[in-house]
Amino acid sequence: MSSINLIDSFQEFKDFKNIDRPTVISVLEEVFRSMLRKRFGTDENCDIIVNPDNGDLEIWRTRTVMEDGFSEDDDLEIELLEVHKIDPDLEVGDDFIEQITLESFGRRAILAARQTLVSKILELEKDEIFKNYKDRVGEIVTGEVYQVWKKETLVLDDEGNELILPKTEQIPADYFKKGDSVRAVVYKVEMLNSNPRIIISRTAPEFLQRLFELEVPEIFDGLITIKNIVREPGERAKVAVESYDDRIDPVGACVGMKGSRIHGIVRELRNENIDVINFTSNISLYIQRALSPAKITSIKLDDETMRAAVYLKPDQVSLAIGRGGHNIKLAGKLTGYEIDVYRESNEEEEDVDLEEFSDEIEGWIIDEFKKIGLDTAKSVIALTVTELVKRTDLEEETVEEVLGILRSEFE
């Protein structure tokens, strides 16, 4: 039988990911129709029959038999004298059907068609990968590290698709080498020069949310809702949760017996400190919970400017601010309020409000100290230069100058 067997071609295309055989056949048919148009000027009178089971393909061309000298288009018509050389039984008006063999196109046309087919399949593969991952943004994926560069890491998923984990999307304590297994969330999918670029992230809040959904069945089932997540990757995170079922303690369910549920998440995030708190629409209470483990004495809210003045006992200030200021910064992000911490003064203790030094110290510098809960001279003096530089946005020289002014007050 004069047919084109494509089983070998299908074997060659089997390594293409995400492309099923019917799609390959459809592309193949279009490639041959393009060849027919180039050779005959049209493919309207041609039928391409593909057998998807064994890869056989046949091309049949139909032309109308015309009286000698009356054919106006040799691509659609054939004269009686010519057709009788092949089939003497045909008459004027009959359809002359002939099979077109692959060999008749010529070697050059066949090689060009093969290249076109490969190119089209590659395009389809890229489109499929893009569409697949575009729908998976926010999902957790697991892959294997294939190559580590200075600014990003190349990860391959189970199907060999390339995923990019930029350094900026890695937890500071992350260290990967080739062959390591990596879990991350699909963060962004884009087309770059016709190639899909899939960015994954381990620092996005969505990654922490998906980890909670995996570890806490009540969240996955919708019995507990995560209202908000804020993170300083690798340092600290705060997760506000709520349950609509009074019988369920959302915080307890998330933490698990003796921390069994949250320990796995903490390990995955390189020992990131995770605070799980009960969400509430009572802003004062919400801020109080967000500043945990510090215990607050009182709060004054300014809803217009979205600021909260929080008053604490001296021994609670450092707890509220947290190491590197992470606790107060995340509490502000979680609640949406800018939080100012104030130390409750002891009337018996002689101290001076920082505002008293406004003639010698510029107002914006005083504000920098107030932001971290230092509103009196002694509260500033109690800390070292290194600690003050780390907690504020002030230069070391400025801090030393301020300390000199404040200390002279008590000499």
Side-chain angles (χ1 to χ4, degrees):
M1 185 173 90
S2 181
S3 64
I4 305 164
N5 191 289
L6 298 170
I7 291 177
D8 293 339
S9 298
F10 283 131
Q11 288 298 318
E12 184 176 341
F13 297 135
K14 72 180 181 179
D15 292 332
F16 286 106
K17 301 174 283 292
N18 303 313
I19 307 296
D20 55 20
R21 181 172 286 196
T23 304
V24 174
I25 291 172
S26 174
V27 172
L28 189 65
E29 183 176 339
E30 178 52 39
V31 168
F32 276 102
R33 286 200 173 276
S34 177
M35 292 174 68
L36 288 166
R37 287 192 291 270
K38 285 181 182 178
R39 182 175 173 186
F40 300 121
T42 181
D43 65 327
E44 292 178 9
N45 58 332
C46 297
D47 293 312
I48 299 175
I49 303 170
V50 180
N51 186 333
D53 296 325
N54 57 20
D56 283 348
L57 179 145
E58 298 175 2
I59 302 174
W60 298 92
R61 183 184 182 212
T62 303
R63 286 184 289 173
T64 304
V65 179
M66 304 294 289
E67 289 186 16
D68 295 337
F70 282 88
S71 175
E72 296 180 355
D73 189 344
D74 292 339
D75 292 327
L76 299 173
E77 300 167 344
I78 185 170
E79 294 186 353
L80 195 61
L81 181 62
E82 186 181 347
V83 83
H84 276 176
K85 294 176 184 178
I86 303 168
D87 188 347
D89 295 330
L90 290 178
E91 302 291 340
V92 173
D94 290 345
D95 286 336
F96 170 63
I97 303 172
E98 62 179 327
Q99 185 171 10
I100 309 297
T101 63
L102 178 61
E103 293 75 19
S104 68
F105 285 97
R107 184 171 179 274
R108 182 174 294 179
I110 293 169
L111 288 175
R114 183 184 181 281
Q115 186 60 39
T116 302
L117 179 59
V118 171
S119 177
K120 284 183 176 291
I121 293 294
L122 279 170
E123 282 180 27
L124 276 173
E125 180 196 358
K126 291 174 183 177
D127 287 341
E128 285 297 317
I129 294 171
F130 177 79
K131 289 176 186 174
N132 177 31
Y133 271 96
K134 195 72 175 174
D135 293 337
R136 295 179 65 187
V137 170
E139 286 186 19
I140 278 187
V141 290
T142 302
E144 183 178 302
V145 174
Y146 183 73
Q147 199 162 358
V148 179
W149 296 300
K150 187 176 181 180
K151 292 186 177 180
E152 59 188 25
T153 298
L154 177 62
V155 179
L156 300 182
D157 69 6
D158 294 338
E159 295 179 346
N161 296 317
E162 295 184 353
L163 314 175
I164 302 297
L165 179 59
K167 195 71 177 176
T168 53
E169 300 301 324
Q170 296 177 30
I171 296 168
D174 277 342
Y175 174 77
F176 301 114
K177 58 184 184 297
K178 187 171 181 177
D180 285 349
S181 180
V182 177
R183 275 204 297 183
V185 72
V186 180
Y187 183 60
K188 185 166 60 175
V189 182
E190 56 193 8
M191 271 291 188
L192 194 64
N193 299 325
S194 299
N195 291 309
R197 181 174 168 84
I198 303 155
I199 308 295
I200 56 177
S201 172
R202 287 173 50 80
T203 61
E206 291 83 3
F207 183 49
L208 179 52
Q209 180 166 346
R210 297 295 170 260
L211 291 174
F212 265 104
E213 289 172 0
L214 290 173
E215 294 290 338
V216 184
E218 291 87 347
I219 293 178
F220 184 81
D221 294 336
L223 298 174
I224 294 174
T225 303
I226 294 178
K227 302 294 288 186
N228 196 9
I229 293 179
V230 290
R231 292 179 67 190
E232 287 288 332
E235 293 288 344
R236 196 172 197 128
K238 289 186 181 289
V239 183
V241 294
E242 185 178 32
S243 172
Y244 299 107
D245 189 335
D246 294 337
R247 296 170 297 178
I248 297 175
D249 170 19
V251 174
C254 290
V255 174
M257 188 73 70
K258 295 182 179 179
S260 58
R261 289 177 171 177
I262 207 166
H263 279 168
I265 300 174
V266 170
R267 281 195 300 272
E268 179 68 53
L269 301 183
R270 311 297 188 196
N271 295 320
E272 190 170 306
N273 191 347
I274 303 173
D275 299 328
V276 183
I277 67 170
N278 268 314
F279 174 81
T280 175
S281 54
N282 182 328
I283 297 300
S284 294
L285 182 57
Y286 195 28
I287 292 173
Q288 184 176 329
R289 290 172 178 174
L291 282 173
S292 175
K295 294 179 180 178
I296 294 166
T297 304
S298 61
I299 300 178
K300 291 180 181 177
L301 298 178
D302 187 337
D303 294 328
E304 287 186 10
T305 60
M306 298 292 284
R307 295 182 75 96
V310 176
Y311 296 87
L312 309 96
K313 291 182 178 178
D315 62 340
Q316 296 296 306
V317 172
S318 59
L319 285 176
I321 295 167
R323 189 179 66 179
H326 294 309
N327 197 53
I328 192 168
K329 188 188 298 181
L330 289 176
K333 287 182 180 178
L334 189 74
T335 60
Y337 275 70
E338 190 167 338
I339 301 172
D340 299 313
V341 172
Y342 295 97
R343 182 190 304 260
E344 278 196 329
S345 60
N346 187 336
E347 292 181 2
E348 295 178 4
E349 182 182 356
E350 184 185 344
D351 204 348
V352 182
D353 195 292
L354 282 183
E355 293 291 347
E356 298 291 327
F357 297 89
S358 56
D359 291 340
E360 298 173 86
I361 304 172
E362 291 185 49
W364 68 272
I365 297 176
I366 293 174
D367 289 340
E368 279 296 313
F369 288 114
K370 284 188 173 183
K371 282 180 186 176
I372 61 169
L374 307 177
D375 54 352
T376 66
K378 286 189 175 179
S379 66
V380 176
I381 294 171
L383 299 175
T384 64
V385 173
T386 304
E387 285 177 311
L388 290 170
V389 169
K390 187 176 180 181
R391 292 187 185 184
T392 65
D393 290 330
L394 300 173
E395 298 290 334
E396 185 175 334
E397 186 180 341
T398 303
V399 171
E400 288 177 346
E401 186 179 335
V402 169
L403 286 174
I405 295 170
L406 300 181
R407 284 173 182 150
S408 64
E409 178 69 21
F410 299 99
E411 290 175 354

